[in-house]
Amino acid sequence: MIICSRLTLLCRRREGASLVEVTVGSVVLFFVVIILVDLGLLIYGVSLNDAVCRDAARKSASGNPINAEQRALLFVDQMNSRNSGFVSHFRLVPPVKAEITSQPKLRRNPENDQLVNPGGLVTGSVTVTTEVEIKPLALQFVLGRNSPLRFQSKQSFPISYVQPPD
Amino acid sequence: MTGNRQTRGNMIFLVSLAIGLVVAIAVVGLMFNRVLLERTRAQFALDSLALTLASKINPGDRVGQINGLEESSRELVFTTRQAVNACSSQELEGFTRLSNLLLDEARSGHDLVEKERRNQIAIIRKEVLEAVHSYETKREENGAMSFMSIKTNDPKVVRVDLGRIKNVDSNIESLDAIPELCQFDRLNGYVDSRSRLFKCDVNAKLPYADADLYFRFCALPAFVGKTCSPPRNTNFDAFKSFGRIFVNGVDTSEACDDIPDAIQITTNMDVDMADVARKQSSLATLSAVSTSVCSGAASESE
């Protein structure tokens, strides 16, 4: 009787130990997975913001540099309306810098002695900065719901514009 | 005792293994993702460089102006030849000498235009190469960027080609001011029948005695309406190379016969993995190609 009861106790201990190990391991695994999901989400958000910034820089550099910011803003708005979920709050960080290195010089018209724009190639670059807010699953509880993580991206692209003549 | 050794700690081991496996898969995934991101970044940097270099080809519409000079010179030679022929057929000896003099001037004028055309090819080549070398110097100064044990450099330029965009003719329109010349051009296929623009891949020879002169128009997007085509990135399939001017950090001596209107750049970007012992091992070499076309003809050259 004594031997039998000891064996039963031993078996119960083993089963219980395995159960505890699985439970503890599952909890650890769960947190590891959650952290990896969060990390993936952050990387996805940052790369998406990079892509939005690059495309916004391309769009704003194609055309008259005066309207560069409007074009970038329009593009960022379009991207915000397309994306949804955790990564959707792209924001254009003003100002959109248009650095012009050369542009057509005004010429004096000999007939009426007035300055006229002969038109020509405008060169330089446009620099756009965008920001994204990311709300990770687990970090949201740590940081608080009203404090999402913010990431910025800054990209430049050469101006592609030929000024029309007057 | 044996039974205890087999069962105790098995779950801990399995769970640890599962965690390790998940983490390892995640790390591999993140590294792969990073390589893909670097590829996108390299393509963007390359597009930016190609567009900057393409903008250097036709500033101030110099290519369009050379095309305009070619056409004017061609018309001048043709009309002075007509004058010479008319004088000799009508036996106007006094005018024959004068018309011959004008013809010689027109022909020597064409030599000047041809020299200037060659000069422009050399200038464009020089300016593009200077810009490429400047980029390479900056790239070496910037050094490598390291993140998540992956080390990347800016894309390294391995090849630069000058050329033109297929199916784009010159910016010069055939005018009806000299009907004989206009008809001759159409019969010989020098002019596109629909757009009436001179084709760029032909030697638009003049008839008879002036067939020895070399008239070559460069491809350039024409000024249409009030619109001048801006420089832009384009599909690499649309590019036709005239010559390779830069290969693996060395300027080549390959000759270009025509003034280019487009540029194609090929780059390589090494992605290295820095291990714990600070030794690097090459993970991947990302290759990218970008093609850009220069700005089109301005209104003046039309």
Side-chain angles (χ1 to χ4, degrees):
Chain A
M1 277 299 284
I2 294 167
I3 294 168
C4 190
S5 64
R6 276 186 182 174
L7 271 173
T8 314
L9 196 66
L10 196 65
C11 289
R12 209 190 304 153
R13 270 183 197 156
R14 272 187 215 149
E15 281 168 9
S18 300
L19 198 67
V20 169
E21 284 171 3
V22 169
T23 312
V24 171
S26 301
V27 170
V28 173
L29 189 62
F30 174 75
F31 281 112
V32 167
V33 169
I34 289 289
I35 287 165
L36 287 177
V37 167
D38 273 2
L39 192 65
L41 192 68
L42 288 178
I43 289 170
Y44 171 70
V46 168
S47 61
L48 202 60
N49 185 41
D50 266 0
V52 167
C53 192
R54 272 195 293 268
D55 288 342
R58 270 184 198 269
K59 294 268 179 194
S60 60
S62 310
N64 194 340
I66 294 169
N67 307 322
E69 188 157 341
Q70 287 170 18
R71 283 192 297 275
L73 201 61
L74 192 69
F75 179 77
V76 171
D77 284 346
Q78 280 175 355
M79 289 309 291
N80 276 332
S81 62
R82 278 181 207 166
N83 289 290
S84 60
F86 297 103
V87 187
S88 61
H89 307 288
F90 300 107
R91 194 174 72 83
L92 186 73
V93 181
V96 171
K97 284 183 193 167
E99 287 175 21
I100 296 169
T101 50
S102 73
Q103 60 182 334
K105 287 175 186 166
L106 295 176
R107 284 184 200 161
R108 196 167 290 282
N109 187 349
E111 288 174 7
N112 52 17
D113 206 38
Q114 282 185 341
L115 288 171
V116 288
N117 171 25
L121 184 66
V122 178
T123 59
S125 66
V126 171
T127 305
V128 172
T129 309
T130 57
E131 191 181 72
V132 68
E133 288 180 358
I134 303 171
K135 294 174 182 171
L137 292 169
L139 282 173
Q140 234 184 126
F141 295 103
V142 180
L143 299 169
R145 281 174 189 277
N146 295 324
S147 56
L149 296 172
R150 288 191 175 88
F151 295 92
Q152 280 196 353
S153 178
K154 193 176 183 180
Q155 304 284 349
S156 292
F157 203 71
I159 294 170
S160 169
Y161 179 61
V162 177
Q163 199 171 46
D166 285 340
Chain B
M1 284 299 281
T2 316
N4 282 350
R5 210 188 304 151
Q6 277 173 349
T7 52
R8 260 185 210 167
N10 268 3
M11 281 302 151
I12 285 284
F13 174 73
L14 285 173
V15 170
S16 307
L17 198 70
I19 292 171
L21 207 64
V22 167
V23 170
I25 290 169
V27 166
V28 169
L30 290 175
M31 283 170 78
F32 184 68
N33 181 51
R34 175 142 159 74
V35 172
L36 291 180
L37 284 179
E38 284 304 323
R39 199 190 180 291
T40 317
R41 195 175 70 88
Q43 186 65 55
F44 181 76
L46 180 57
D47 285 348
S48 174
L49 175 67
L51 198 58
T52 307
L53 295 186
S55 301
K56 292 183 183 298
I57 293 176
N58 191 26
D61 193 29
R62 59 182 171 189
V63 180
Q65 285 177 17
I66 287 287
N67 274 345
L69 282 173
E70 284 277 344
E71 194 234 4
S72 302
S73 169
R74 191 167 177 271
E75 283 181 1
L76 189 63
V77 172
F78 185 83
T79 49
T80 48
R81 176 63 68 185
Q82 274 185 324
V84 167
N85 291 343
C87 288
S88 59
S89 66
Q90 289 169 32
E91 295 178 357
L92 301 168
E93 285 181 14
F95 285 109
T96 304
R97 199 178 159 198
L98 178 65
S99 56
N100 274 325
L101 200 68
L102 289 172
L103 179 63
D104 287 346
E105 270 188 17
R107 285 177 63 93
S108 56
H110 171 260
D111 287 344
L112 287 176
V113 171
E114 182 58 19
K115 268 184 194 167
E116 187 51 35
R117 198 180 72 85
R118 301 249 165 224
N119 181 41
Q120 287 301 325
I121 294 171
I123 289 172
I124 290 169
R125 186 189 182 110
K126 189 184 161 203
E127 286 179 357
V128 168
L129 281 171
E130 276 174 3
V132 170
H133 286 298
S134 164
Y135 168 83
E136 281 293 292
T137 311
K138 274 185 194 167
R139 189 185 69 83
E140 280 164 15
E141 282 170 4
N142 287 346
M145 193 181 81
S146 191
F147 179 68
M148 280 170 57
S149 76
I150 290 182
K151 202 173 172 185
T152 53
N153 286 292
D154 283 340
K156 182 186 178 185
V157 178
V158 290
R159 215 162 49 231
V160 179
D161 286 75
L162 291 178
R164 70 175 179 88
I165 299 299
K166 290 173 192 167
N167 302 323
V168 173
D169 293 321
S170 76
N171 61 311
I172 302 297
E173 193 177 340
S174 170
L175 301 173
D176 296 329
I178 310 166
E180 299 90 349
L181 183 61
C182 187
Q183 197 181 2
F184 173 79
D185 289 343
R186 284 183 189 170
L187 284 173
N188 285 280
Y190 296 158
V191 175
D192 185 84
S193 55
R194 289 178 70 190
S195 65
R196 297 177 67 193
L197 295 172
F198 277 97
K199 290 179 182 171
C200 59
D201 51 358
V202 292
N203 176 13
K205 282 189 219 172
L206 285 172
Y208 313 119
D210 298 312
D212 59 319
L213 298 180
Y214 189 76
F215 292 98
R216 208 154 168 100
F217 296 98
C218 326
L220 193 69
F223 186 81
V224 180
K226 287 185 174 181
T227 310
C228 170
S229 164
R232 65 197 183 279
N233 292 122
T234 188
N235 194 342
F236 75 94
D237 284 342
F239 182 78
K240 186 181 176 185
S241 177
F242 291 159
R244 197 156 286 176
I245 60 165
F246 183 88
V247 179
N248 293 325
V250 181
D251 302 352
T252 66
S253 54
E254 208 169 310
C256 294
D257 269 350
D258 289 311
I259 298 181
D261 78 328
I263 188 164
Q264 190 168 68
I265 307 174
T266 309
T267 58
N268 278 349
M269 189 172 76
D270 289 327
V271 181
D272 300 320
M273 198 164 68
D275 61 20
V276 184
R278 301 282 173 204
K279 286 178 184 172
Q280 284 179 19
S281 54
S282 183
L283 194 69
T285 299
L286 306 173
S287 191
V289 181
S290 184
T291 306
S292 285
V293 58
C294 71
S295 56
S299 56
E300 284 94 342
S301 63
E302 193 184 23

